[in-house]
Amino acid sequence: MAFRTVIDEVHEDLARHGHPDVRPMHGFVFQAIGPHGTTAADLGRTLGVSKQAAGKTVANLEQLGYVSVGHDPHDARRKLVRLTSRGVECLVLSARAFENVRARWSAELGTERLRALDDDLRRMTPADFFRLDFPGWFGTAS
């Protein structure tokens, strides 16, 4: 429930800042696209979903203005998916929103208790705790 609470707060903040259509899965997609772009096939593999599901998500995000699709300058047969300035802005705003939630939790719980909680959660999770295949694990990327 804590995870859901944080995600809901972040998305409420994003909506207030002009991003009402962004869904929790989109954050994983944005991270998987990265600063240099990727193809729909590679995106699907990274997210743990089919190429078709990745393509559907890309089409939706392109329609919303978060990504653009163009030819790879190194291989004209490949189409690269890249974040637009709107997509980058969304990532920056979401990072800021996460920081605000963390600051509020620190004020509420105290710095030491929050640090202990962080330590305990890290101890209980694998080293590769930030995996991008959550969309596939949840069952969909759209």
Side-chain angles (χ1 to χ4, degrees), residues 6-142:
V6 171
I7 298 303
D8 286 348
E9 285 184 38
V10 167
H11 282 268
E12 288 168 11
D13 189 67
L14 287 172
R16 281 192 302 273
H17 287 94
H19 299 277
D21 296 321
V22 174
R23 300 292 171 253
M25 288 302 158
H26 295 155
F28 293 103
V29 175
F30 293 168
Q31 293 291 328
I33 291 170
H36 305 293
T38 189
T39 65
D42 288 341
L43 183 63
R45 278 190 287 278
T46 301
L47 296 174
V49 300
S50 69
K51 180 182 174 183
Q52 292 78 11
K56 181 179 174 185
T57 300
V58 166
N60 178 259
L61 290 172
E62 184 176 31
Q63 184 177 28
L64 294 171
Y66 291 103
V67 302
S68 65
V69 180
H71 292 288
D72 183 336
H74 305 292
D75 184 347
R77 297 169 297 174
R78 292 172 25 118
K79 291 191 176 188
L80 276 183
V81 179
R82 292 195 170 126
L83 293 173
T84 62
S85 59
R86 182 168 169 76
V88 172
E89 175 191 61
C90 187
L91 276 176
V92 169
L93 288 171
S94 67
R96 189 174 305 142
F98 276 111
E99 289 170 10
N100 291 339
V101 170
R102 183 170 177 75
R104 190 174 52 72
W105 282 30
S106 183
E108 182 82 19
L109 297 173
T111 304
E112 290 305 313
R113 285 194 63 194
L114 185 57
R115 186 175 298 126
L117 177 61
D118 282 344
D119 291 345
D120 288 344
L121 291 172
R122 281 191 183 96
R123 188 173 345 149
M124 299 306 295
T125 58
D128 63 344
F129 71 97
F130 188 74
R131 295 177 53 175
L132 294 174
D133 65 348
F134 278 100
W137 182 70
F138 280 138
T140 182
S142 23

